[in-house]
Amino acid sequence: MDRHRAVLPPWVPLFYDEPLEIESGSGRTVRGADGRDYLDFYAGVAVNTLGYDVPEIREAVERKMRTGIVHSSTFYLVREQIDLAERIAAASGIDDPVVFFTTSGSDAVETALLLATQFRRSQQVIALRYAYHGRSFGALSVTGDRAWQAQGFTPLRVAYARSGDKRNGGLAGLDDAAYAEACAEDLQEIIATGTPERTAAMLVEPVQGVAGAVPLVPGQLRAYADVLEQHDILLIADEVQTGWGRTGRYWGYQWHDVTPDLLVFAKGVGSGFPLGGVVGRREVMTSLPGASVSTFGGNPLACAAALATLDYVDAHDLPAHALTMGRLLRETLDMKLKDPGVGHVRGTGLLMAVEFVDPLSREPDVSRALRVQERCRHRGLLVGLGGAFKNCLRIMPPLTVTAAEVRQAADIIAAAVDDVPGGEGAPALPTPSLN
């Protein structure tokens, strides 16, 4: 940890009072350098789609490595890249799709913004409040969470529409249909009064992962899409966290009656190998006037891993499995978490969060979320931390998780909540630094 702090910047956070080094893994279990085994319900921030030490992934990567070609660049034909692009294009649901590969979600978001602003000849973009889209310059410009936003100059003009959290929108009393209508009216007003004559695109996460697994309410994205169509504004779906079946559908947008113009993907497609990209309508994807490349995007090794990942996802129908396991996890947590300091258990599929609040004021309880996460680790479970107000446990296990593991994780979370009292009269708990 001292060596980490000496050579890495202080804004690279570490979980836990005593940060953990993970040395090995198998299935959904990892072993730490402390000699303990942990059930992993964070999956490398939703990257390890299939878990750890998966024979199909290992064999695909080793087979490619035996050719001696780990990298050649996009100036040459890359068979695995073309095979993967065909698979993603066919799965995207987009008409006449074209695919461009990058190395990360941030890079993919940058590409989508570059394409949309070029196509519409505008630097105006609409995003959602509390959104997170990556750590690069343009991606931070459209991030709606103040904790992650860039300071100073940004390359885009951005306006923010309502997220799926009715409370933060000040409309908690509305039903879903009324809220969707209110969101559409709000978007119309933003376009009419808060943006230039031409707006390039609206960037949307179907479920806001970093904000604490906040889904758009039923009808909300459809209402937004109707408004965008009226004004000839592109819809970009950020599926970096929601793709590949995590929400119970192949893509998160498929829970809504829409089809995006551009779809951004990354994380789980490569089973740990860095890979991201954009798939979109041909007329948008081909709108750049000059040449553009991504040196490592579509790397042959990462594409081989991704093809094996998608083979496994399809062969085992992991979207349906994620939906079933997500419902089991939600039902089990709802049954076990009767603590008045638990505000919400929410999410879609296997992208979920447990929110902590003060039982009386209902204000975010950041300290308790931190300590519950710590107690989960103590009891043998790894979960993340986040939320718009940093008061949520983030839960996103590998999509191969079993029912027994779901129940085990729910038992541990419930016990960890009991370990950490909340509300008035509870003992004061120090708040550890994330650095």
Side-chain angles (χ1 to χ4, degrees):
M1 186 170 65
D2 289 341
R3 292 169 62 197
H4 177 280
R5 288 172 171 165
V7 296
L8 294 171
W11 39 263
V12 176
L14 292 169
F15 282 151
Y16 307 119
D17 290 339
E18 296 182 5
L20 176 66
E21 177 189 359
I22 295 175
E23 291 189 330
S24 62
S26 179
R28 277 69 55 194
T29 300
V30 297
R31 174 158 293 183
D34 56 4
R36 294 190 61 193
D37 288 339
Y38 298 92
L39 183 59
D40 183 10
F41 266 49
Y42 200 44
V45 199
V47 167
N48 299 315
T49 302
L50 308 183
Y52 299 89
D53 194 24
V54 182
E56 291 86 345
I57 304 300
R58 182 174 61 251
E59 290 163 9
V61 170
E62 289 177 348
R63 186 164 56 247
K64 185 59 188 176
M65 289 196 68
R66 284 194 293 269
T67 69
I69 303 297
V70 173
H71 174 75
S72 62
S73 92
T74 52
F75 288 110
Y76 303 95
L77 292 171
V78 180
R79 184 172 299 274
E80 293 85 1
Q81 185 183 100
I82 298 167
D83 290 343
L84 181 60
E86 290 174 342
R87 291 281 293 276
I88 293 173
S92 71
I94 296 171
D95 185 47
D96 194 20
V98 173
V99 180
F100 179 80
F101 289 110
T102 66
T103 55
S104 72
S106 296
D107 193 4
V109 168
E110 293 284 341
T111 302
L113 292 171
L114 172 66
L115 289 164
T117 53
Q118 170 64 34
F119 185 69
R120 291 296 187 219
R121 308 300 297 170
S122 168
Q123 291 178 285
Q124 177 68 52
V125 176
I126 299 170
L128 296 185
R129 300 169 191 170
Y130 310 107
Y132 176 81
H133 296 291
R135 59 153 300 278
S136 53
F137 195 37
L140 283 173
S141 297
V142 292
T143 288
D145 184 336
R146 185 174 60 185
W148 296 94
Q149 283 174 339
Q151 301 297 315
F153 295 105
T154 62
L156 299 167
R157 291 186 57 175
V158 186
Y160 293 97
R162 297 184 188 278
S163 73
D165 193 329
K166 300 176 186 179
R167 299 167 304 163
N168 295 336
L171 301 173
L174 298 182
D175 63 23
D176 290 344
Y179 183 71
E181 183 178 352
C183 288
E185 292 172 355
D186 179 63
L187 181 59
Q188 288 279 21
E189 184 174 354
I190 289 170
I191 294 170
T193 65
T195 64
E197 183 177 347
R198 184 193 301 268
T199 296
M202 184 173 187
L203 181 61
V204 174
E205 299 166 275
V207 181
Q208 291 185 315
V210 173
V214 181
L216 296 179
V217 305
Q220 184 179 1
L221 188 53
R222 177 68 263 169
Y224 280 155
D226 288 342
V227 175
L228 300 178
E229 188 174 356
Q230 293 172 27
H231 296 275
D232 204 22
I233 298 170
L234 299 176
L235 173 61
I236 306 172
D238 182 343
E239 299 271 3
V240 169
Q241 292 191 44
T242 51
W244 322 113
R246 180 156 292 280
T247 69
R249 300 281 180 91
Y250 210 84
W251 306 109
Y253 85 79
Q254 290 172 328
W255 286 103
H256 307 270
D257 182 25
V258 300
T259 301
D261 298 289
L262 298 172
L263 185 155
V264 177
F265 60 85
K267 286 195 183 289
V269 66
S271 284
F273 286 83
L275 184 65
V278 181
V279 54
R281 291 195 290 117
R282 183 175 299 274
E283 64 173 330
V284 183
M285 294 292 295
T286 58
S287 63
L288 292 185
S292 186
V293 300
S294 175
T295 300
F296 292 101
N299 172 274
L301 207 61
C303 286
L307 284 164
T309 300
L310 298 190
D311 284 344
Y312 194 104
V313 168
D314 292 343
H316 296 82
D317 197 3
L318 289 190
H321 183 70
L323 185 60
T324 300
M325 292 299 101
R327 286 173 174 167
L328 176 63
L329 180 58
R330 175 71 173 270
E331 291 167 0
T332 309
L333 287 174
D334 283 340
M335 180 180 65
K336 290 178 176 293
L337 297 180
K338 301 301 184 183
D339 189 295
V342 174
H344 281 85
V345 178
R346 64 179 177 233
T348 306
L350 287 174
L351 183 58
M352 297 185 63
V354 178
E355 178 192 55
F356 292 92
V357 297
D358 182 274
L360 296 180
S361 70
R362 311 309 288 174
E363 291 297 314
D365 193 338
V366 178
S367 176
R368 195 173 186 200
L370 283 163
R371 286 308 186 189
V372 171
Q373 184 203 32
E374 192 82 40
R375 292 301 299 173
C376 283
R377 184 244 174 116
H378 176 79
R379 289 178 171 274
L381 177 71
L382 303 184
V383 292
L385 195 66
F389 303 100
K390 314 309 170 204
N391 62 322
C392 296
L393 296 186
R394 297 183 62 199
I395 304 168
M396 48 186 91
L399 303 189
T400 53
V401 68
T402 67
E405 289 166 337
V406 165
R407 293 188 180 96
Q408 179 186 356
D411 286 343
I412 291 173
I413 292 170
V417 170
D418 289 342
D419 288 343
V420 183
E424 289 191 5
L429 296 169
T431 301
S433 170
L434 285 180
N435 294 330

